[in-house]
Amino acid sequence: MWRTRAAAACVICRSLANSSYGIKRKSPLQNLHLVSRSIHHPYYPSSKFQRPPLRISIQLFSSLNRLPLRKTKLLDVKYGYQSHRNFWLARLASRLLKLRYLILGSAVGGGYTAKKTYDQWKDMMPDLDEYKWIVPDFIWELDEHLDFEKLIKALPDADDLAKLLPDFDKIGESFTSLKGFFSPGSPGETAFRATDQGYDNDKEYKKVSDKEKIDQLQEELLRTQLKYQRMLERLEKENKELRKLVLQRDDKGIHQRKLKKSLIDMYSEVLDILSDYDASYNTQDHLPRVVVVGDQSAGKTSVLEMIAQARIFPRGSGEMMTRSPVKVTLSEGPHHVALFKDSSREFDLTKEEDLAALRNEIEIRMRNSVKEGCTVSTETISLSVKGPGLQRMVLVDLPGVISTVTSGMAPDTKETIFSISKAYMQNPNAIILCIQDGSVDAERSIVTDLVSQMDPQGKRTIFVLTKVDLAEKNVASPSRIQQIIEGKLFPMKALGYFAVVTGKGNSSESIESIKEYEEEFFQNSKLLKTCMLKAHQVTTKNLSLAVSDCFWKMVRESVEQQADAFKATRFNLETEWKNNYPRLRELDRNELFEKAKNEILDEVISLTQVTPKHWEEILQKTLWERVSTHVIENIYLPAAQTMNSGTFNTTVDIKLKQWTDKQLPNKAVEVAWETLQEEFSRFMTEQKGKEHDDIFDKLKQAVKEETIKRHKWNERAEDSLRVIQHNALEDRSISDKQQWDAAIHFMEETLQSRLQDTESVIEDMVGPDWKKRWLYWIGRTKEQNIRNETRNELEKLIKCNEEHAAYLANDEVTTVRKNLEARGITVDSCLIKDTWHQIYRRYFLKTALNHCNLCRRGFYYYQRHFVDSELECNDIVLFWRIQRMLAITANTLRQQLTNTEVRRLEKNVKEVLEDFAEDNEKKVKLLTGKRVQLAEDLKKVREIQEKLEAFIEALHQEK
């Protein structure tokens, strides 16, 4: 009967187990819960309860151990047929209901506890959204470079994964065994209490082992970081090589397509234009750039060189090397090269010779930019560096901040450096790369106070601690370095903090050796092992990635706002132009120069359109004005004092020969050159009516002066001209009466002009005559009265002897002086001789003019060589020879002008214009005015706006 009851109970238990726990498997009786076995099978051979071993994992993480134990009064079980027959069904139902509620409560409590634990862990985690910029862009773009399909195929299939999953059968057995702890009166209750005691003991063990676990986790984390850092470096290196190959293929034109400008090159062009733009309309340059500031010798240049991956800057031991701002544009390219903005020469940064030449060129440019009496300069040197794997950005290296002005420096050097640094840092979109020397005391830093003034919130400052290797050796407390990197030591705030090593202080170290030394140092550094520094805060590689990402983030946020500002400025300038110059085209300084250049060249060409007659008339007239005095005073007058025609002709021939050999050709060339200048100046300054633009006057004047200064007449022209003039003066044969009359007319004009000049000189000497004195109420001075009395005495001598010689004898001078003294007038001999010279000159010129009238009918006697005639007209022949020489000389000079000199002048004008075109300072000086400046500003603003819009479009396309 007991066996029958036991068999029935087993059937019920099997059905209950299968239905209650949902475990679809064939289970022996032993797999049922211990509570069921203790109730229904007290005499079953295997029903003896065995306490399962305690598991720490269950104690630590199970929610059941937090529930309070409720003591249940166990019913006394009487073993007999009637008792089991009347109450076993009730007992079974009661036990099952109690078990159901226990399981349901445990599930609810466990879920609530798990959610609470998850929320606590989530609150403990820091908010990393603000630090997304630290992670490089290529991490987010790994799906573009990695083939995930291959990775999926490489993963194990479902069967292999199933083997890795936990054994759910064993989990079910453990869960079944736990239910035995809740049966009242069973050994499970005692076991559950023992478990609580074991849990308390494990708490103490956990506290002891936490420190060891933390150390193990830190070491494992460090190894994992280094492992992934090496993987990233390897991927970057492979990517760098691949991009280099692609760029090289494009550079060689394999794809037969024109490469577009890179994004950073477009941005750098905008910055270059803005640096030259004079912000007359308060349109400030707020475009981002990375401004590198720091104390002198803090390692600014070394950090920049590590970012550029080349030692491109001159360096010195403790002395100031950066004397002016240097703008470095970093971009990606197939070859590692550098070039200046205003030069086409490329420096190969892989060759030591080119590196040395580049450093020398930068130093020369810096020294040339520094004005006399100054130490630093505000002029920016623009340099572009291209190479595979370079991070795209624009950096500006500023002179190091100093605390004391030393000997050899200008007194205002410190203030000038501060003003330069503030000018760059006050840009609200500039990223400040603050460099601090880690090997010196932090209290000696000057730049941190300056940076905190310009960026008090630290929203655009990145702090870099250099020479960390020296700092680790010298600093007694390593926690001081940790305080600096965590931003707790300095009052300034920063967006990020980095620690770098830029070499061992040897200027001959290569970039690769410095990188290896830096990596080796941080791998072995206690600062990193003890978690004083985090892995993403060290090495210049991480710094470069962070700065580049921050730079482009700032560019994307601010460039459109800057473009709108220039759009508004353009509208204002265009409106002003329409109101002031409605009918004029907007020509900037370069366009105006080209227009003026064409006008000047047209005017030079117009010289060739001058008629030969006009050239010869001007040359002949100018040459005679230049040589007439010499001819009259040194040739004609001395020859006319001779007694006969033979002596007259001999004297004339000798003096003409001397004059031709020494002076005449040179004078003729000077006259020709001056004539050419006058004609050139006349065409240059001649107004063209309404088309004349006075804005070009200064430029034309400068071109004319510079051209005249450079032009030199052909040296061989004098030699050929001398022969021609000598032959012309030797000819005495007048062929016809017309030439004879022309010579007489020429002589009369010349003598009449000289006579007028002489009369004017005498009038100034003796004063006005009686008519002018009466009409104009003008009197004579005392000296004029003396000279008037002297003139009267001298005129008496000429009247007494009409053939008097040109010079007074000494006794005649004495006679005149005594006669004047007799009338109470005291004179000296010099005054008498000076007055005699003008009186006799007037008398001689009047006599010569009368002789010209007599010679008008003397051509017949000339043809007969004045035989049987008292008339001698040798002076007419002389003036004919002079006149003919002037005509032949003018004709020769005109040929030289039109055939040679005008073309050479045009060539010189072109050279001057080309030189002026390359000299921007000259153009700014010569082309001035409100119209020019307005057109220049309008052109600059348009160019900036167009380039900004093109850059923004390319920026959106890159996204």
Side-chain angles (χ1 to χ4, degrees), residues 86-146:
N86 295 328
F87 301 108
W88 69 270
L89 289 174
R91 289 195 190 100
L92 179 62
S94 176
R95 297 293 184 180
L96 290 175
L97 289 173
K98 187 182 295 184
L99 179 63
R100 180 180 64 183
Y101 289 120
L102 286 173
I103 294 173
L104 181 61
S106 300
V108 173
Y112 172 76
T113 306
K115 182 179 183 303
K116 187 176 181 181
T117 305
Y118 169 75
D119 292 338
Q120 290 176 355
W121 277 90
K122 183 178 178 181
D123 293 338
M124 290 170 61
M125 293 296 291
D127 187 5
L128 300 177
D129 292 339
E130 298 181 358
Y131 299 93
K132 287 183 178 180
W133 59 271
I134 298 178
V135 181
D137 290 340
F138 71 89
I139 296 296
W140 311 110
E141 299 172 358
L142 282 177
D143 56 341
E144 299 178 5
H145 305 287
L146 298 178

XYZ file of all heavy atoms in Angstrom, residues 86-146:
516
model
N -6.293 11.826 4.513
C -7.152 12.984 4.712
C -6.471 14.303 4.360
O -7.137 15.246 3.930
C -7.611 13.044 6.162
C -8.500 11.852 6.522
O -9.212 11.375 5.643
N -8.422 11.406 7.771
N -5.136 14.474 4.569
C -4.503 15.793 4.486
C -3.384 15.933 3.444
O -2.805 16.994 3.328
C -3.921 16.165 5.857
C -4.966 16.202 6.917
C -4.998 15.183 7.876
C -5.914 17.215 6.966
C -5.972 15.215 8.876
C -6.868 17.222 7.981
C -6.903 16.233 8.947
N -2.992 14.948 2.766
C -1.825 15.117 1.867
C -2.127 16.020 0.687
O -1.255 16.746 0.213
C -1.306 13.757 1.407
C -2.244 13.022 0.465
C -3.220 12.164 0.781
C -2.230 13.125 -0.951
N -3.852 11.672 -0.316
C -3.228 12.262 -1.421
C -1.447 13.832 -1.866
C -3.501 12.110 -2.790
C -1.701 13.660 -3.200
C -2.717 12.830 -3.670
N -3.400 16.002 0.243
C -3.740 16.926 -0.859
C -3.697 18.377 -0.396
O -3.201 19.273 -1.097
C -5.132 16.588 -1.410
C -5.238 15.283 -2.205
C -6.694 14.999 -2.553
C -4.401 15.352 -3.460
N -4.193 18.659 0.835
C -4.154 20.042 1.358
C -2.730 20.517 1.566
O -2.374 21.666 1.270
C -4.937 20.109 2.683
N -1.934 19.560 2.174
C -0.534 19.960 2.362
C 0.156 20.275 1.030
O 0.923 21.227 0.911
C 0.221 18.821 3.066
C -0.171 18.646 4.525
C 0.865 17.784 5.199
N 0.428 17.387 6.523
C -0.096 16.194 6.801
N -0.233 15.304 5.844
N -0.465 15.889 8.034
N -0.109 19.418 0.056
C 0.522 19.638 -1.256
C 0.108 20.979 -1.865
O 0.936 21.735 -2.381
C 0.146 18.484 -2.202
C 0.701 18.565 -3.627
C 2.234 18.541 -3.574
C 0.180 17.385 -4.453
N -1.173 21.314 -1.785
C -1.640 22.599 -2.345
C -1.020 23.772 -1.614
O -0.615 24.776 -2.213
C -3.169 22.640 -2.272
N -0.949 23.662 -0.256
C -0.362 24.756 0.525
C 1.094 24.985 0.153
O 1.561 26.104 -0.003
C -0.500 24.421 2.014
O 0.140 25.402 2.790
N 1.834 23.866 0.051
C 3.249 24.002 -0.315
C 3.428 24.615 -1.700
O 4.294 25.457 -1.921
C 3.921 22.622 -0.269
C 3.941 21.982 1.097
C 4.835 22.753 2.045
N 4.926 22.086 3.327
C 5.636 22.518 4.347
N 6.313 23.653 4.208
N 5.669 21.860 5.496
N 2.597 24.180 -2.615
C 2.733 24.695 -3.994
C 2.407 26.180 -4.070
O 3.068 26.948 -4.775
C 1.840 23.894 -4.947
C 2.281 22.453 -5.212
C 1.238 21.738 -6.077
C 3.628 22.427 -5.897
N 1.355 26.605 -3.361
C 1.005 28.032 -3.366
C 2.124 28.876 -2.739
O 2.476 29.944 -3.215
C -0.306 28.246 -2.614
C -1.577 27.734 -3.319
C -2.779 27.853 -2.385
C -1.811 28.502 -4.608
N 2.691 28.376 -1.633
C 3.781 29.116 -0.985
C 4.999 29.232 -1.907
O 5.624 30.270 -2.001
C 4.149 28.379 0.310
C 5.161 29.162 1.169
C 5.520 28.372 2.396
C 4.285 28.203 3.296
N 4.629 27.513 4.567
N 5.309 28.158 -2.594
C 6.446 28.173 -3.514
C 6.212 29.143 -4.670
O 7.114 29.861 -5.089
C 6.691 26.751 -4.042
C 7.833 26.579 -5.043
C 9.164 26.946 -4.349
C 7.885 25.149 -5.540
N 4.995 29.228 -5.151
C 4.698 30.136 -6.281
C 4.926 31.579 -5.889
O 5.525 32.363 -6.627
C 3.257 29.912 -6.709
C 2.836 30.802 -7.879
C 1.393 30.548 -8.262
N 0.518 30.928 -7.139
C -0.807 30.778 -7.148
N -1.407 30.226 -8.187
N -1.530 31.140 -6.093
N 4.432 31.920 -4.660
C 4.619 33.310 -4.251
C 6.086 33.644 -3.988
O 6.543 34.764 -4.225
C 3.790 33.611 -3.017
C 2.308 33.672 -3.307
C 1.401 32.807 -2.693
C 1.814 34.622 -4.216
C 0.049 32.862 -2.970
C 0.461 34.679 -4.494
C -0.435 33.807 -3.884
O -1.746 33.874 -4.159
N 6.804 32.685 -3.457
C 8.224 32.935 -3.235
C 8.973 33.193 -4.541
O 9.813 34.085 -4.652
C 8.852 31.743 -2.499
C 8.500 31.622 -1.011
C 9.035 30.311 -0.454
C 9.078 32.784 -0.242
N 8.673 32.375 -5.543
C 9.341 32.550 -6.847
C 8.968 33.890 -7.476
O 9.812 34.627 -7.997
C 8.978 31.391 -7.787
C 9.574 30.087 -7.234
C 9.494 31.642 -9.193
C 9.132 28.854 -7.990
N 7.656 34.241 -7.410
C 7.208 35.509 -7.986
C 7.848 36.700 -7.262
O 8.334 37.646 -7.891
C 5.676 35.594 -7.898
C 5.037 36.865 -8.485
C 5.364 36.948 -9.970
C 3.538 36.875 -8.274
N 7.908 36.690 -5.962
C 8.529 37.792 -5.203
C 10.009 37.905 -5.473
O 10.567 38.999 -5.566
N 10.648 36.737 -5.579
C 12.087 36.780 -5.873
C 12.355 37.402 -7.230
O 13.299 38.179 -7.406
C 12.660 35.355 -5.821
O 12.461 34.801 -4.540
N 11.539 37.085 -8.229
C 11.733 37.644 -9.578
C 11.539 39.148 -9.582
O 12.322 39.900 -10.158
C 10.758 36.957 -10.558
N 10.466 39.620 -8.893
C 10.201 41.068 -8.843
C 11.319 41.795 -8.103
O 11.846 42.815 -8.555
C 8.831 41.333 -8.196
C 8.621 42.842 -7.979
C 7.714 40.761 -9.042
N 11.703 41.256 -6.930
C 12.777 41.906 -6.174
C 14.094 41.897 -6.905
O 14.841 42.872 -6.893
N 14.387 40.770 -7.570
C 15.650 40.715 -8.332
C 15.665 41.695 -9.479
O 16.669 42.355 -9.748
N 14.544 41.858 -10.177
C 14.495 42.833 -11.280
C 14.671 44.255 -10.809
O 15.395 45.049 -11.403
N 14.013 44.598 -9.691
C 14.140 45.950 -9.160
C 15.581 46.243 -8.720
O 16.142 47.293 -8.979
C 13.183 46.117 -7.986
C 13.374 47.415 -7.255
C 12.905 48.617 -7.788
C 14.031 47.448 -6.014
C 13.094 49.798 -7.111
C 14.210 48.631 -5.341
C 13.739 49.814 -5.900
O 13.938 50.997 -5.242
N 16.179 45.232 -8.054
C 17.572 45.417 -7.598
C 18.530 45.556 -8.777
O 19.453 46.381 -8.764
C 17.986 44.227 -6.723
O 17.042 44.077 -5.665
C 19.383 44.447 -6.143
N 18.315 44.776 -9.822
C 19.183 44.885 -11.019
C 19.055 46.245 -11.667
O 20.039 46.855 -12.090
C 18.826 43.763 -11.994
N 17.796 46.745 -11.764
C 17.598 48.077 -12.365
C 18.257 49.163 -11.537
O 18.917 50.073 -12.054
C 16.113 48.358 -12.495
C 15.798 49.711 -13.157
C 14.309 49.918 -13.281
C 14.042 51.241 -14.005
N 14.637 52.383 -13.364
N 18.118 49.047 -10.199
C 18.734 50.036 -9.322
C 20.252 50.017 -9.440
O 20.924 51.051 -9.498
C 18.303 49.768 -7.888
C 18.751 50.856 -6.910
C 18.208 50.600 -5.521
C 18.650 51.695 -4.573
N 18.142 51.450 -3.198
N 20.815 48.802 -9.504
C 22.279 48.678 -9.668
C 22.736 49.267 -10.993
O 23.753 49.964 -11.076
C 22.678 47.198 -9.568
O 22.189 46.673 -8.340
C 24.195 47.050 -9.642
N 21.971 49.033 -12.044
C 22.314 49.589 -13.366
C 22.274 51.114 -13.360
O 23.156 51.786 -13.901
C 21.347 49.025 -14.406
C 21.439 49.716 -15.749
C 22.514 49.469 -16.596
C 20.476 50.637 -16.146
C 22.615 50.101 -17.823
C 20.566 51.270 -17.358
C 21.637 50.999 -18.201
O 21.753 51.632 -19.400
N 21.242 51.671 -12.708
C 21.145 53.136 -12.638
C 22.307 53.722 -11.852
O 22.842 54.785 -12.211
C 19.819 53.530 -11.983
C 18.623 53.174 -12.872
O 18.839 53.028 -14.087
O 17.503 53.051 -12.335
N 22.706 53.037 -10.767
C 23.841 53.544 -9.990
C 25.120 53.537 -10.807
O 25.885 54.498 -10.810
C 24.021 52.690 -8.730
C 22.905 52.887 -7.698
C 23.076 51.961 -6.506
O 23.965 51.114 -6.504
N 22.208 52.127 -5.495
N 25.348 52.451 -11.523
C 26.546 52.394 -12.389
C 26.478 53.450 -13.493
O 27.487 54.032 -13.870
C 26.672 50.992 -12.990
C 27.334 50.035 -12.058
C 26.751 49.253 -11.135
C 28.733 49.786 -11.962
N 27.666 48.514 -10.451
C 28.927 48.823 -10.952
C 29.861 50.273 -12.635
C 30.163 48.348 -10.593
C 31.106 49.804 -12.281
C 31.246 48.840 -11.263
N 25.284 53.664 -14.038
C 25.147 54.655 -15.113
C 25.432 56.060 -14.607
O 26.068 56.874 -15.287
C 23.730 54.578 -15.676
C 23.486 55.515 -16.862
C 22.079 55.366 -17.399
C 21.836 56.331 -18.550
N 20.457 56.235 -19.076
N 24.977 56.358 -13.355
C 25.245 57.686 -12.790
C 26.724 57.875 -12.478
O 27.236 58.990 -12.509
C 24.429 57.875 -11.515
C 22.931 57.923 -11.806
O 22.588 58.228 -12.965
O 22.136 57.650 -10.883
N 27.380 56.762 -12.165
C 28.813 56.870 -11.850
C 29.666 57.113 -13.082
O 30.763 57.642 -12.986
C 29.288 55.585 -11.154
C 28.729 55.427 -9.733
S 29.059 53.782 -9.064
C 30.846 53.782 -9.078
N 29.156 56.735 -14.229
C 29.939 56.924 -15.460
C 29.984 58.403 -15.838
O 28.964 59.089 -15.794
C 29.317 56.128 -16.609
C 29.401 54.621 -16.432
S 31.114 54.041 -16.433
C 31.528 54.330 -18.135
N 31.163 58.949 -16.249
C 31.244 60.380 -16.650
C 30.590 60.605 -18.007
O 30.473 59.702 -18.825
C 32.761 60.628 -16.715
C 33.334 59.278 -16.998
C 32.446 58.291 -16.297
N 30.189 61.854 -18.219
C 29.598 62.251 -19.501
C 30.719 62.531 -20.492
O 31.480 63.489 -20.335
C 28.740 63.501 -19.314
C 27.974 63.828 -20.581
O 28.052 63.024 -21.529
O 27.318 64.884 -20.624
N 30.822 61.695 -21.489
C 31.941 61.774 -22.446
C 31.564 62.506 -23.730
O 32.316 62.489 -24.692
C 32.432 60.361 -22.803
C 32.930 59.529 -21.613
C 33.325 58.141 -22.083
C 34.099 60.204 -20.925
N 30.385 63.149 -23.766
C 29.985 63.823 -25.008
C 30.909 64.983 -25.336
O 31.175 65.269 -26.496
C 28.535 64.344 -24.882
C 27.550 63.193 -24.807
O 27.932 62.093 -25.252
O 26.424 63.398 -24.316
N 31.402 65.679 -24.296
C 32.262 66.834 -24.553
C 33.640 66.440 -25.033
O 34.420 67.267 -25.450
C 32.388 67.674 -23.286
C 31.050 68.245 -22.811
C 31.223 69.087 -21.561
O 32.379 69.156 -21.088
O 30.237 69.660 -21.076
N 33.983 65.153 -24.926
C 35.338 64.728 -25.290
C 35.346 63.925 -26.582
O 36.291 63.215 -26.872
C 35.944 63.905 -24.154
C 36.072 64.667 -22.858
C 35.077 64.614 -21.896
C 37.181 65.482 -22.619
C 35.183 65.340 -20.721
C 37.293 66.191 -21.445
C 36.303 66.120 -20.495
O 36.427 66.832 -19.348
N 34.233 63.994 -27.332
C 34.216 63.262 -28.600
C 35.271 63.784 -29.572
O 35.729 63.066 -30.442
C 32.830 63.370 -29.246
C 31.779 62.534 -28.540
C 30.437 62.624 -29.264
C 29.399 61.758 -28.588
N 28.101 61.831 -29.278
N 35.643 65.104 -29.426
C 36.613 65.685 -30.366
C 37.992 65.059 -30.210
O 38.830 65.128 -31.109
C 36.708 67.203 -30.158
C 37.120 67.591 -28.782
C 36.325 67.806 -27.708
C 38.460 67.802 -28.314
N 37.056 68.136 -26.620
C 38.374 68.150 -26.953
C 39.713 67.722 -28.929
C 39.484 68.426 -26.212
C 40.825 67.995 -28.183
C 40.703 68.339 -26.823
N 38.238 64.433 -29.028
C 39.564 63.831 -28.808
C 39.735 62.608 -29.693
O 40.835 62.303 -30.147
C 39.734 63.478 -27.321
C 39.656 64.768 -26.475
C 41.025 62.748 -27.074
C 39.762 64.530 -24.998
N 38.628 61.899 -29.941
C 38.716 60.691 -30.771
C 38.889 61.117 -32.222
O 38.139 61.947 -32.722
C 37.441 59.839 -30.612
C 37.547 58.579 -31.460
C 37.229 59.489 -29.152
N 39.880 60.620 -32.919
C 40.101 61.033 -34.318
C 38.912 60.691 -35.209
O 38.105 59.799 -34.918
C 41.364 60.238 -34.720
C 41.971 59.797 -33.439
C 40.874 59.673 -32.435
N 38.858 61.452 -36.329
C 37.755 61.247 -37.275
C 37.774 59.859 -37.885
O 36.727 59.281 -38.180
C 37.829 62.296 -38.403
C 37.484 63.674 -37.871
O 36.844 63.716 -36.794
O 37.840 64.669 -38.507
N 38.970 59.315 -38.076
C 39.010 58.048 -38.803
C 38.450 56.902 -37.967
O 38.090 55.850 -38.499
C 40.461 57.735 -39.248
C 41.376 57.369 -38.101
C 41.508 56.066 -37.673
C 42.107 58.360 -37.463
C 42.348 55.753 -36.638
C 42.948 58.040 -36.418
C 43.074 56.719 -36.001
N 38.336 57.093 -36.613
C 37.731 56.036 -35.788
C 36.257 55.879 -36.166
O 35.726 54.782 -36.278
C 37.874 56.392 -34.302
C 39.367 56.424 -33.911
C 37.120 55.379 -33.437
C 40.036 55.079 -34.048
N 35.598 57.073 -36.388
C 34.184 57.011 -36.773
C 34.018 56.584 -38.224
O 32.913 56.225 -38.665
C 33.534 58.373 -36.565
C 33.801 58.971 -35.225
C 34.573 60.048 -34.947
C 33.319 58.517 -33.955
N 34.598 60.302 -33.614
C 33.828 59.370 -32.966
C 32.499 57.459 -33.560
C 33.557 59.220 -31.625
C 32.222 57.311 -32.216
C 32.753 58.180 -31.262
N 35.097 56.669 -38.972
C 35.000 56.314 -40.391
C 35.633 54.971 -40.683
O 36.012 54.690 -41.818
C 35.685 57.395 -41.227
C 35.052 58.762 -41.061
C 35.878 59.852 -41.746
O 36.944 59.486 -42.300
O 35.468 61.008 -41.739
N 35.805 54.114 -39.618
C 36.443 52.811 -39.836
C 35.620 51.923 -40.753
O 36.154 51.062 -41.446
C 36.654 52.110 -38.489
C 37.859 52.612 -37.649
C 37.894 51.895 -36.321
C 39.151 52.404 -38.404
N 34.287 52.161 -40.736
C 33.465 51.316 -41.599
C 33.744 51.565 -43.066
O 33.450 50.722 -43.915
C 31.982 51.544 -41.315
C 31.603 53.005 -41.470
O 32.541 53.832 -41.436
O 30.419 53.308 -41.650
N 34.331 52.747 -43.387
C 34.682 53.021 -44.777
C 35.976 52.337 -45.174
O 36.227 52.128 -46.355
C 34.806 54.538 -44.986
C 33.510 55.278 -44.694
C 33.694 56.777 -44.872
O 34.811 57.145 -45.306
O 32.769 57.534 -44.605
N 36.811 52.045 -44.166
C 38.123 51.482 -44.473
C 38.224 49.988 -44.153
O 39.147 49.328 -44.634
C 39.200 52.234 -43.689
C 39.193 53.714 -43.909
N 39.637 54.310 -45.078
C 38.764 54.739 -43.123
C 39.506 55.601 -45.002
N 38.977 55.906 -43.822
N 37.309 49.472 -43.295
C 37.351 48.070 -42.923
C 36.211 47.315 -43.586
O 35.079 47.815 -43.670
C 37.243 47.911 -41.400
C 38.386 48.550 -40.574
C 38.117 48.350 -39.100
C 39.722 47.943 -40.954
